[in-house]
Structure formats: structure tokens, C-alpha cells
């Protein structure tokens, strides 16, 4: 009698209830997913950790996955197998993803083939895990939603994290004047090495005055805002006429005076990569892959954690004093 092939198991992080970092459970007996048509199975070498994953895990985010689930979307690794109709990839290809279907905090992950991209040899897997969400989000914020143009100025608020550094690199490569803020001396140095013309310490009580002195009476054209619940009110004072604040991150409420937008006809625009159309995603992918090819897109990897320390990673990404690149889990 032919025995049914036994499916192999893997280590993966599972969330059975929403809550604090302690709800992230590492299990060693999770079934390896099987790629269906137009899907690929990736052996994960590294997975990026994004702030949004902590919001989803806590249950406070607009999107709630069905429980239990495995977090993580930014995976880099090697194609293990492909489903039917997949012609773009084969076993052994080095790749990175923008999102996974089965979750990235795991030894293997399934992704739709059209959300997977070749990882060039010049980048390692840690860097590959730092591309997807940060660079696509930064490109969307600057160009698809922010309508940035060469010659304009951009202030990246919280520029030393994954999205912030991506925004600095992209904006600099596209001819914008780039200002960035960070919370530490080290963070400011990282920003300056990655495209910012000037860096400011947002822990300095007078830092907004320094930014005003730098931009002159004209103000700044675009602000990429990672912590709008703290900075939005001050951002509106820094904008130029018809300037726009791109809300990329927020951790709570804030009070503003809408009159501040009237005096300059400025805009507050929300940014969500999840709402990008297929066409917009392709545009992001083209820009990002061109940037890698041209050499100006160089992902900066920050803190690295083994899968066992995933709860610590979730704690640190929200509570640490200052980011220095993209946080990754290593497998």
C-alpha cells in the first residue's frame, strides 16, 4: 500500500491571541505550507520586523488577521519549490518578498509569485529582508501620494529607521533636498551617510527652530512622518505653501489646529502600502530594482535577532531609544 507522503514540519512564530510581545509563541511543529498555483515556497534566511507588525499583534490595528497567524512580510531567502504556472522562478533562486501569505517569522513561507522579486548578488539576505515594506512605502509616500519633484525639500521625521533611511536614499537619488531627524548622535550619522544633506536631533528642544533656520521662510515642501501622534502639530508649522505631510506612522491621537492648513493650503495625507493597486506596486518594484542596480539603494541593517528572541525584537522596535537601520530576524 502506498503511504501518503508525510509533510515536514518547521519552526514558526504563532499568535493565538492579540496582546503584548509575550503572545508571540515559537513552535517547532508547524506544517510547512505547500505552494498553490501562482505561488512559491521560500526557505527563509532573514525576515524584516516592521512597527506595523506590533500594532497588528496587539489587536489595535485596523486590519486584524484571523487567529492563529504567523506575522511577517519582508522575507529574503531561496526558492524551495514553485506552484503550478510559475515560470519566473525556480528552485534555488535568491529572492525577496513584499508580503507573504503564510507569514514570514518562520523557516519557510509561501508568497504569491507576483509579490516576489529576484535578490541581486550584491545584496545579502539580511539586506534583502530590509527592502520590501520600507522602500515600497517610502517610494509611495514620496511620489505616488506626495508628488515629490526634483528641487523640492523633504523632511524625514524619524529618518534612521527602515522607512526613514529608504526615504532619504530615494529622495536624494531623485534630486530633492533632504533633511532628516533622529534621536541619537549615531542615528544622525547614519542619516547623513545615507542621503540626508542635514540631520537634526529631535530630542533637542529647539530642533524645529533649527529646521526653520535651515529651510528659510519658504518652509519644507514634504514631510515624511513616522510618529504623527507626536509631531503633526509642529509639522504644520514647518510646511511651505502647498506643502504636504505624509502620515506613514502613528501611535495614538493628537490635537491640531486645522487653521494651520488653511494659511498655507497645506495637506495631511495618509499613506498605506496595503492599499496600493497592482499597477502602483509594479511601479514601486521597478523603481526599487532600478535603485539596487544603479547602486544608490543600499539597505541598512540595524539590530538582528534569532527567531527565539522575537518578543524582544517587538519590544525593542517600539521602546528603543533610536533606530539605526532595519530590524531583522535571522534564521
Amino acid at each position: 500500500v502506498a503511504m501518503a507522503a508525510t509533510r515536514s514540519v518547521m519552526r514558526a512564530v504563532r499568535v493565538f491571541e492579540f496582546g503584548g510581545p509575550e503572545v508571540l509563541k515559537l513552535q517547532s511543529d508547524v506544517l510547512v505550507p505547500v505552494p498553490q498555483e501562482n505561488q512559491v515556497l521560500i526557505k527563509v534566511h532573514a525576515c524584516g520586523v516592521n512597527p506595523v507588525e506590533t500594532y497588528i499583534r496587539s489587536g489595535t490595528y485596523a486590519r486584524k488577521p484571523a487567529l492563529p497567524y504567523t506575522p511577517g512580510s519582508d522575507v529574503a531567502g531561496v526558492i524551495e519549490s514553485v506552484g503550478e504556472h510559475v515560470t519566473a522562478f525556480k528552485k534555488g533562486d535568491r529572492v525577496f518578498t513584499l508580503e507573504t501569505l503564510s507569514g514570514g517569522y518562520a523557516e519557510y513561507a509561501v508568497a504569491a509569485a507576483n509579490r516576489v522579486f529576484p535578490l541581486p548578488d550584491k545584496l545579502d539576505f539580511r539586506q534583502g529582508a530590509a527592502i520590501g515594506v520600507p522602500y515600497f512605502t517610502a517610494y509611495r509616500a514620496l511620489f505616488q501620494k506626495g508628488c515629490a519633484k526634483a528641487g523640492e525639500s523633504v523632511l524625514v521625521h524619524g529618518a534612521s529607521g527602515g522607512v526613514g533611511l529608504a526615504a532619504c536614499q530615494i529622495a536624494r537619488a531623485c534630486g530633492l533636498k533632504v533633511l532628516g531627524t533622529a534621536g541619537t548622535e549615531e542615528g544622525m550619522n547614519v542619516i547623513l551617510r545615507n542621503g540626508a544633506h542635514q540631520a537634526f536631533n529631535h530630542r533637542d528642544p529647539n530642533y524645529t527652530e533649527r529646521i526653520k533656520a535651515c529651510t528659510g521662510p519658504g518652509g519644507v515642501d514634504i514631510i515624511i512622518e513616522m510618529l504623527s501622534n507626536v509631531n503633526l502639530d509642529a509639522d504644520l508649522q514647518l510646511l511651505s505653501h502647498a506643502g504636504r505631510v505624509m502620515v506613514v506612522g502613528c501611535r495614538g491621537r493628537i490635537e491640531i489646529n486645522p487653521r494651520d492648513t488653511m494659511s498655507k493650503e497645506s495637506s495631511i495625507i495618509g499613506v498605506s502600502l496595503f492599499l496600493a493597486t497592482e499597477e502602483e506596486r509594479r511601479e514601486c518594484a521597478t523603481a526599487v530594482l532600478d535603485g539596487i542596480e544603479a547602486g544608490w539603494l543600499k539597505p541598512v541593517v540595524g539590530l538582528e535577532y534569532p527567531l527565539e528572541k522575537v518578543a524582544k525584537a517587538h519590544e525593542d522596535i517600539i521602546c528603543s531609544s533610536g533606530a539605526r537601520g532595519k530590524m531583522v530576524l535571522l534564521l
Side-chain angles (χ1 to χ4, degrees), residues 5-218:
T6 55
R7 277 181 61 192
S8 49
V9 294
M10 63 174 181
R11 293 188 313 143
V13 173
R14 303 291 282 161
V15 174
F16 294 91
E17 58 179 328
F18 296 113
E22 70 283 351
V23 303
L24 297 161
K25 305 288 186 203
L26 179 57
Q27 301 197 301
S28 53
D29 57 354
V30 179
L31 285 177
V32 174
V34 176
Q36 307 301 306
E37 60 177 338
N38 300 314
Q39 296 176 357
V40 298
L41 179 66
I42 300 165
K43 183 175 190 345
V44 179
H45 285 258
C47 180
V49 179
N50 296 295
V52 69
E53 287 147 25
T54 70
Y55 312 153
I56 293 169
R57 181 216 70 227
S58 69
T60 59
Y61 197 63
R63 292 189 322 139
K64 277 196 185 67
L67 296 167
Y69 78 99
T70 295
S73 56
D74 286 331
V75 157
V78 174
I79 297 283
E80 180 73 17
S81 62
V82 301
E84 273 188 283
H85 312 310
V86 175
T87 53
F89 300 103
K90 62 185 186 311
K91 183 176 165 70
D93 287 350
R94 285 162 41 94
V95 294
F96 72 92
T97 63
L98 183 59
E99 60 187 90
T100 69
L101 296 164
S102 59
Y105 297 6
E107 289 178 324
Y108 292 90
V110 161
N114 65 353
R115 298 281 190 278
V116 176
F117 306 96
L119 178 63
D121 290 338
K122 62 171 88 165
L123 299 181
D124 63 28
F125 291 119
R126 292 153 50 249
Q127 291 173 302
I131 300 172
V133 169
Y135 282 87
F136 281 58
T137 299
Y139 183 87
R140 181 169 181 77
L142 282 163
F143 298 106
Q144 293 178 340
K145 295 292 165 190
C147 305
K149 293 183 178 57
E152 286 192 313
S153 58
V154 59
L155 169 64
V156 184
H157 228 148
S160 62
V163 177
L165 287 169
C168 288
Q169 291 177 3
I170 294 171
R172 180 66 180 254
C174 295
L176 282 92
K177 181 181 180 185
V178 185
L179 314 176
T181 77
T184 63
E185 195 67 38
E186 197 182 345
M188 288 165 65
N189 289 332
V190 170
I191 296 170
L192 291 168
R193 285 200 301 272
N194 284 280
H197 292 89
Q198 277 182 284
F200 303 87
N201 189 327
H202 53 62
R203 294 182 200 283
D204 170 356
N206 301 320
Y207 86 96
T208 53
E209 296 310 314
R210 293 186 178 177
I211 293 172
K212 281 180 187 161
C214 177
T215 58

